[in-house]
């Protein structure tokens, strides 16, 4: 099976790394991806906002070298995460997420 996506866009905010209880580093970023065509009504380019999860060394490097507005390229895979609605009743649903595997720094500070 093949599970890979390539995204190129701008960071919408400065990356902030969190360290989990088990010692792993993680940051969640949002990429602004401008569409390649203009909106017929406004004449402007529309933008998609894609949430991505970045782990370990990639997360630390992203925080060190990038800030809001930086253009990056991400090679990623699609995954699912369980989002609990009510933990006492164990009701949840699966949420798709983009998990970064490699980052290319196109513009940096």
């Amino acid at each position: 099976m093949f599970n890979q996506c390539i995204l190129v866009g701008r960071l919408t905010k400065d990356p902030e790394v969190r360290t989990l209880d088990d010692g792993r580093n993680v940051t969640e970023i949002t990429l602004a991806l401008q569409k390649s065509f203009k909106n017929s009504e406004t004449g402007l380019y529309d933008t998609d906002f894609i949430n991505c999860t970045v782990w370990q060394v990639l997360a630390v490097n992203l925080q060190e070298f990038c800030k809001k507005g930086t253009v990056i390229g991400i090679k990623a895979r699609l995954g699912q995460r369980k989002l609990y609605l009510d933990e006492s009743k164990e009701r949840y649903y699966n949420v798709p997420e983009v998990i970064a595997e490699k980052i290319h720094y196109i513009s940096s500070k």
Side-chain angles (χ1 to χ4, degrees), residues 18-83:
R18 293 180 294 127
T19 302
L20 303 178
D21 294 337
D22 61 4
R24 294 182 297 162
N25 296 316
V26 64
T27 187
E28 294 175 356
I29 60 170
T30 302
L31 281 181
L33 310 173
Q34 189 178 50
K35 293 185 179 180
S36 60
F37 54 89
K38 292 183 178 180
N39 183 319
S40 60
E41 295 176 7
T42 64
L44 301 173
Y45 291 101
D46 287 335
T47 304
D48 290 325
F49 296 92
I50 308 297
N51 295 324
C52 305
T53 304
V54 185
W55 291 94
Q56 297 292 64
V57 174
L58 288 178
V60 173
N61 288 342
L62 190 66
Q63 180 179 348
E64 183 178 343
F65 296 112
C66 299
K67 61 181 180 178
K68 178 180 177 178
T70 301
V71 179
I72 62 172
I74 292 181
K75 176 185 166 251
R77 64 182 168 87
L78 297 177
Q80 287 188 10
R81 166 175 47 173
K82 290 183 180 179
L83 181 64

Side-chain angles (χ1 to χ4, degrees), residues 66-106:
C66 299
K67 61 181 180 178
K68 178 180 177 178
T70 301
V71 179
I72 62 172
I74 292 181
K75 176 185 166 251
R77 64 182 168 87
L78 297 177
Q80 287 188 10
R81 166 175 47 173
K82 290 183 180 179
L83 181 64
Y84 288 91
L85 298 174
D86 185 359
E87 292 182 21
S88 64
K89 296 180 183 177
E90 293 189 16
R91 292 188 315 163
Y92 64 89
Y93 63 98
N94 290 326
V95 177
E97 68 177 336
V98 176
I99 304 165
E101 294 180 341
K102 189 169 186 177
I103 297 177
H104 295 275
Y105 303 101
I106 298 171

